Amino acid sequence: MSDLLLLGLIGGLTLLLLLTLLAFAGYSGLLAGVAVSAGSPPILNITVAYKFHMGPYGETGRLFTESCSISPKLRSIAVYYDNPHMVPPDKCRCAVGSILSEGEESPSPELIDLYQKFGFKVFSFPAPSHVVTATFPYTTILSIWLATRRVHPALDTYIKERKLCAHPRLEIYQQDQIHFMCPLARQGDFYVPEVKETERKWRGLAEAVDAQVDGTGADTMSDTSSVSLEVSPGSRETSVATLSPGASSRGWDDGDTRSEHSYSESGASGSSFEELDLEGEGRLGEPQLDPETEPLGITKWPWEPSTPEKGKE
């Protein structure tokens, strides 16, 4: 009888534990709906203190912790530029930090000096007229893990189906919600200087490689010119494609300032927000930057989440 009682007690405790875990997951947002829409941004123009990170996104937790420890009441922000599914982890780039001020308010010099003392840089983001946006509950640390696995796939689907040019991806941790935002205009203004610098370096390296390939290809054509003259007319196109250096590979096209895995290429045709049925109110007609003039990016989603500390205002 005592054995049955013990088994019953163990079973009851196990059931209670499972119910507690389910309740915790539900409170964290497990059952929350994810609604993606195009409309007005959830924030105005902002000034941020940030640190640039190039490496696995899972290693950014320390940056969230560091920025929150300096001023716990400020909102945390992260800007992700690359797709960890298509980019090597050590090449993924992001900026993580805190929002110092919003709108017409200016950050205090003391606050700027405090963040700069710990190695943070200061940068300003504009308020684009329209964005692709979504929200998710931010009640526990588990909320972050759930958000990265539910919201980003929904954003991917929304952007791909409408063939939008929406990049980069911002996450704003504000009180009890996480705001996800992908600008549909002025995208270039959301690229911090370090991102543009890495793009210039990579572009220079690619051009140097192309130059070497062009030189090698010229020598190859010279050596095989007698062979190409003997090719029959019916196979002329094939011979030209074979002998032309780089004909079968994607190089750095003139005017293309994006890498192969940029978020700016997440939409096939880069439709502007003017073609959308916008749900939020805002001034239409603001010109969208030409995707080909945007800074280079690489691509993203979903990734192994970092763990920013929750800082309430």
Side-chain angles (χ1 to χ4, degrees):
M1 187 68 179
S2 58
D3 292 340
L4 292 177
L5 182 61
L6 181 59
L7 290 175
L9 181 60
I10 293 175
L13 291 175
T14 302
L15 179 61
L16 182 61
L17 177 61
L18 291 176
L19 291 175
T20 302
L21 292 175
L22 287 175
F24 179 76
Y27 177 70
S28 300
L30 178 64
L31 303 178
V34 178
V36 181
S37 62
S40 300
I43 57 173
L44 302 175
N45 55 294
I46 56 176
T47 300
V48 303
Y50 75 94
K51 280 191 176 182
F52 176 73
H53 173 78
M54 185 163 69
Y57 288 146
E59 296 178 357
T60 58
R62 60 180 179 80
L63 298 181
F64 282 103
T65 301
E66 185 177 359
S67 63
C68 286
S69 64
I70 297 174
S71 184
K73 293 184 178 181
L74 295 181
R75 292 167 290 177
S76 296
I77 184 172
V79 187
Y80 297 97
Y81 299 102
D82 303 318
N83 187 332
H85 278 193
M86 301 181 68
V87 178
D90 61 329
K91 299 296 183 182
C92 290
R93 299 162 300 171
C94 67
V96 177
S98 300
I99 298 177
L100 303 182
S101 65
E102 180 179 1
E104 297 181 357
E105 178 188 1
S106 298
S108 66
E110 295 79 8
L111 188 60
I112 292 177
D113 291 341
L114 179 61
Y115 272 89
Q116 289 179 336
K117 177 182 177 181
F118 289 93
F120 284 79
K121 297 183 179 180
V122 178
F123 195 75
S124 294
F125 294 147
S129 58
H130 286 86
V131 299
V132 175
T133 184
T135 59
F136 196 81
Y138 182 33
T139 53
T140 69
I141 293 298
L142 182 60
S143 300
I144 302 169
W145 188 88
L146 292 171
T148 58
R149 281 155 178 76
R150 297 192 58 201
V151 178
H152 290 299
L155 288 171
D156 284 336
T157 300
Y158 186 94
I159 293 171
K160 183 177 181 180
E161 287 179 349
R162 291 160 179 78
K163 299 180 180 180
L164 299 175
C165 179
H167 63 95
R169 294 196 177 180
L170 286 76
E171 294 179 1
I172 301 164
Y173 296 81
Q174 182 170 323
Q175 295 184 350
D176 59 351
Q177 283 191 325
I178 306 174
H179 293 274
F180 297 82
M181 185 178 89
C182 306
L184 288 168
R186 304 187 67 177
Q187 294 99 328
D189 292 335
F190 288 86
Y191 284 75
V192 296
E194 291 86 347
V195 175
K196 298 178 181 180
E197 180 61 28
T198 58
E199 296 296 354
R200 283 192 289 268
K201 291 180 180 179
W202 292 344
R203 189 182 311 152
L205 178 61
E207 290 174 351
V209 172
D210 284 346
Q212 293 180 352
V213 172
D214 289 341
T216 304
D219 294 339
T220 303
M221 289 188 69
S222 176
D223 294 339
T224 59
S225 59
S226 59
V227 177
S228 63
L229 291 175
E230 298 175 1
V231 176
S232 61
S235 60
R236 181 175 180 181
E237 294 182 0
T238 304
S239 65
V240 171
T242 303
L243 297 177
S244 298
S248 61
S249 63
R250 183 188 187 278
W252 291 94
D253 299 330
D254 292 341
D256 185 359
T257 59
R258 299 165 294 164
S259 72
E260 295 185 35
H261 309 296
S262 172
Y263 271 125
S264 61
E265 296 184 0
S266 59
S269 63
S271 303
S272 71
F273 57 78
E274 294 178 359
E275 301 174 12
L276 294 175
D277 181 15
L278 297 171
E279 300 178 16
E281 294 184 0
R283 177 173 59 84
L284 288 174
E286 179 173 343
Q288 180 183 5
L289 293 180
D290 185 344
E292 294 193 354
T293 64
E294 292 299 327
L296 296 168
I298 310 189
T299 349
K300 164 180 168 91
W301 288 172
W303 82 97
E304 187 65 25
S306 55
T307 308
E309 300 236 347
K310 183 175 180 181
K312 301 220 178 218
E313 289 188 333

